[in-house]
């Protein structure tokens, strides 16, 4: 969302998608947590119903495990998976139609760019993969004696 590419008003709105969206109601977030992990009381001493941050794909809540460890719980917005897939598929199909009607666009690889963006955005929905990536990063930090200089979540 570079100001050189988009009008300032657009940039402001794009930036809101990153970390300033309206939070999802606690009852819906609680339902997602309990569907994925079982009753909150099974694993957590508490979870703060007020999110620390809310973005376009997920929001995060401070919590304490039953072990006493302070943690942050990242919860995907209900329905975002289907919504994002539909929106990104539309963008991809629209890019193919543009290439069909305006063959010059094909040289820009518009549909390839749309496909790459779609793939990257859908990876954002895979929190299991994200957790594996963070764990690999932690291992890298440990192997290179960087744990004191850089940190990564558990």
């Amino acid at each position: 969302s570079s100001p050189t590419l988009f009008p300032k008003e657009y940039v402001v709105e794009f930036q809101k998608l990153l970390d300033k969206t309206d939070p999802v109601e606690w009852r819906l977030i609680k339902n997602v947590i309990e569907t994925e992990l079982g009753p909150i009381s099974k694993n957590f001493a508490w979870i703060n119903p007020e999110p620390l941050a809310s973005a376009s794909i997920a929001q995060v809540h401070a919590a304490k495990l039953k072990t006493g460890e302070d943690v942050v719980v990242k919860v995907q917005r209900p329905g975002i998976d289907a919504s994002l897939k539909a929106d990104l598929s539309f963008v991809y199909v629209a890019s193919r139609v543009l290439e069909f009607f305006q063959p010059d666009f094909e040289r820009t690889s518009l549909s390839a760019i749309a496909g790459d963006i779609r793939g990257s955005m859908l990876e954002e929905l895979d929190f299991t993969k994200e957790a594996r990536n963070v764990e690999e990063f932690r291992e890298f930090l440990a192997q290179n004696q960087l744990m004191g200089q850089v940190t990564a979540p558990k």
Side-chain angles (χ1 to χ4, degrees), residues 7-151:
K8 183 175 174 150
E9 311 81 55
Y10 284 51
V11 173
V12 170
E13 291 304 313
F14 289 152
Q15 288 172 336
K16 286 180 187 174
L17 292 175
L18 296 175
D19 61 4
K20 293 184 176 143
T21 60
D22 291 333
V24 175
E25 292 178 49
W26 169 245
R27 67 178 179 78
L28 298 173
I29 292 298
K30 181 180 178 196
N31 185 50
V32 171
I33 294 169
E34 292 187 332
T35 298
E36 295 287 324
L37 303 175
I40 287 176
S41 61
K42 177 180 160 194
N43 297 303
F44 299 95
W46 57 265
I47 298 178
N48 188 342
E50 291 297 317
L52 295 170
S54 180
S56 57
I57 292 176
Q59 62 191 52
V60 292
H61 293 261
K64 185 178 288 271
L65 296 176
K66 285 199 157 198
T67 61
E69 186 177 10
D70 290 322
V71 296
V72 174
V73 180
K74 185 174 181 180
V75 184
Q76 201 167 98
R77 288 176 167 272
I80 193 66
D81 184 272
S83 176
L84 193 56
K85 283 178 181 173
D87 290 350
L88 292 170
S89 292
F90 171 79
V91 169
Y92 177 76
V93 169
S95 70
R96 296 291 296 171
V97 169
L98 280 171
E99 287 175 343
F100 179 77
F101 286 114
Q102 183 58 278
D104 289 345
F105 284 159
E106 197 166 357
R107 284 195 296 267
T108 65
S109 301
L110 188 60
S111 63
I113 293 168
D116 287 348
I117 291 170
R118 182 180 189 277
S120 295
M121 290 299 297
L122 293 179
E123 278 187 9
E124 294 287 324
L125 298 173
D126 188 348
F127 289 178
T128 303
K129 183 175 183 175
E130 180 180 353
R132 281 193 309 268
N133 290 342
V134 168
E135 190 53 39
E136 285 179 25
F137 183 61
R138 288 179 58 76
E139 289 171 14
F140 170 82
L141 294 175
Q143 291 168 357
N144 292 281
Q145 291 82 40
L146 296 170
M147 291 298 273
Q149 294 142 7
V150 180
T151 188

